[in-house]
Amino acid sequence: TGDHTVLGNILTGVTLLEQPEPCSVARCPCLGPNYVRLTPEQELVMNGLTSFMVGDLEAATLHLEKAVNKGELLPNAVNNLGVIAWRENQLETALERFQQACEQAPGNGLYAANLAIALDRTGDKSQAQAVCSTDAFTTGASHARKVCRHMATGEQLEPEVTPAIAPDASLYEKKKE
């Protein structure tokens, strides 16, 4: 525990510690969740993300739906269910999920961009542009600006521009007490 590895190769000697220590690398994406106490809902979201990343969309959907059905507001899980629906060509379900994520987390640029992409691709360009007219994105702003800047020109989005998965940012947010 506590040692850094690159593809399984230990870079320094192994030191056994009394207890796990957080990764000392700034913003380490691989080890962060190992040192966070997850709520049951967050654990389901993490399992859903893991399943999604290895291509098991059925398991990802199962985990994310369980998390959402527990009643806690989890806009990232709702967004990710929209991405899965999009990939499975369930466009109406994807639109509903992206709309729910936007309602649960107003100002999130990633969710707004996903909604705008889905609206644009399903033919509702005016509504997509209306979503993009919001300039109050507090997170995911660079992704949103890129998508919305393209839509403002009235051009067709490139086929490779698709809704994006959202990480479980709630793990790294400070809890308000």
Side-chain angles (χ1 to χ4, degrees):
T1 24
D3 284 326
H4 300 281
T5 61
V6 176
L7 298 175
N9 297 320
I10 297 177
L11 301 176
T12 59
V14 175
T15 305
L16 296 178
L17 305 171
E18 292 295 318
Q19 61 187 14
E21 290 185 7
C23 178
S24 61
V25 175
R27 300 189 64 153
C28 180
C30 59
L31 296 176
N34 293 345
Y35 302 103
V36 178
R37 291 183 194 205
L38 303 175
T39 66
E41 293 83 6
Q42 289 171 328
E43 190 169 334
L44 286 166
V45 172
M46 288 300 292
N47 290 339
L49 285 169
T50 302
S51 297
F52 179 87
M53 297 309 284
V54 297
D56 189 351
L57 300 184
E58 186 176 324
T61 300
L62 180 69
H63 291 300
L64 293 169
E65 283 180 346
K66 280 184 183 176
V68 169
N69 291 336
K70 288 196 175 253
E72 187 178 322
L73 286 182
L74 296 167
N76 60 328
V78 173
N79 175 79
N80 295 345
L81 285 167
V83 172
I84 293 168
W86 184 266
R87 289 191 177 188
E88 293 179 336
N89 208 29
Q90 300 170 358
L91 305 184
E92 289 303 315
T93 301
L95 275 169
E96 290 172 16
R97 293 297 191 171
F98 296 144
Q99 183 65 47
Q100 289 171 344
C102 286
E103 289 168 3
Q104 290 181 11
N108 185 299
L110 177 70
Y111 306 155
N114 286 350
L115 177 60
I117 291 167
L119 287 164
D120 182 74
R121 291 281 163 71
T122 56
D124 196 346
K125 295 188 183 310
S126 62
Q127 192 65 20
Q129 289 176 340
V131 168
C132 282
S133 68
T134 304
D135 197 29
F137 301 127
T138 55
T139 59
S142 64
H143 178 66
R145 277 193 290 272
K146 182 169 63 173
V147 168
C148 293
R149 193 171 35 246
H150 192 81
M151 286 187 182
T153 65
E155 297 175 29
Q156 182 72 22
L157 285 173
E158 291 91 10
E160 63 272 5
V161 178
T162 60
I165 198 83
D168 190 1
S170 65
L171 295 178
Y172 304 102
E173 294 171 356
K174 291 187 177 180
K175 298 273 185 202
K176 294 179 181 170
E177 300 184 35

